[in-house]
Amino acid sequence: MAVIGNGAQCEFQAIAFQAICGIDTVRLYDIDPKATEKAIRNLAGRGLMSVHCSSSEEAVEGADIITTCTADKQFATILTDNMVGPGVHINAIGGDCPGKTELHRDILTRSSIFVEFAPQTRIEGEIQQLPPDTPQPSCGR
């Protein structure tokens, strides 16, 4: 598993995917190396091997699961299309306000997209980059 953005949410995501999917390694990257160091300290003793990566490209290399949970409040491209191979699960939780994204639009156009709550996701999730009539299958509520 790769986690890009290593604030407090990072640790919850890693622990949840460990419990649900049985991951044993988490590759971590943040533009602030101290955030990654803190995440590694907080995950110590939980049965996860934590790897401090120096770039998002390094973090996602070979990952089957990628979680993005960055803090920057802008349209950003944290993952480009060429960084994500077929069959990879992306848990893009950082696109959490209007005008904030983390994924390149090309990733979305070739993916199956599931949202937690469609009306909210339309205005503050990754799919704000897509036409309003884009199907939004729900995995929650």
Side-chain angles (χ1 to χ4, degrees):
M1 174 181 190
V3 181
I4 302 171
N6 298 156
Q9 187 61 232
C10 153
E11 300 160 26
F12 295 113
Q13 294 296 314
I15 292 166
F17 276 95
Q18 179 188 31
I20 296 167
C21 300
I23 66 156
D24 59 7
T25 303
V26 61
R27 299 171 58 82
L28 304 166
Y29 172 71
D30 194 291
I31 59 171
D32 178 2
K34 291 184 181 193
T36 302
E37 292 165 11
K38 180 180 178 186
I40 289 171
R41 281 193 310 274
N42 291 343
L43 290 169
R46 296 191 175 267
L48 280 171
M49 181 173 78
S50 298
V51 179
H52 188 163
C53 297
S54 59
S55 68
S56 53
E57 292 84 1
E58 180 185 350
V60 303
E61 192 172 315
D64 295 320
I65 301 167
I66 302 170
T67 294
T68 55
C69 48
T70 61
D72 201 0
K73 303 289 185 203
Q74 64 180 338
F75 282 113
T77 301
I78 306 303
L79 294 179
T80 57
D81 192 39
N82 65 325
M83 293 170 67
V84 182
V88 172
H89 172 83
I90 300 173
N91 186 35
I93 63 169
D96 57 1
C97 64
K100 181 181 178 193
T101 63
E102 298 175 317
L103 307 180
H104 190 279
R105 186 179 186 282
D106 289 349
I107 295 172
L108 303 174
T109 61
R110 68 174 172 95
S111 299
S112 298
I113 301 170
F114 298 90
V115 299
E116 182 179 1
F117 184 60
Q120 178 181 5
T121 304
R122 171 56 55 204
I123 57 174
E124 63 180 46
E126 294 299 323
I127 61 172
Q128 63 187 305
Q129 301 180 65
L130 300 176
D133 60 347
T134 301
Q136 304 169 48
S138 180
C139 64
R141 299 182 192 174

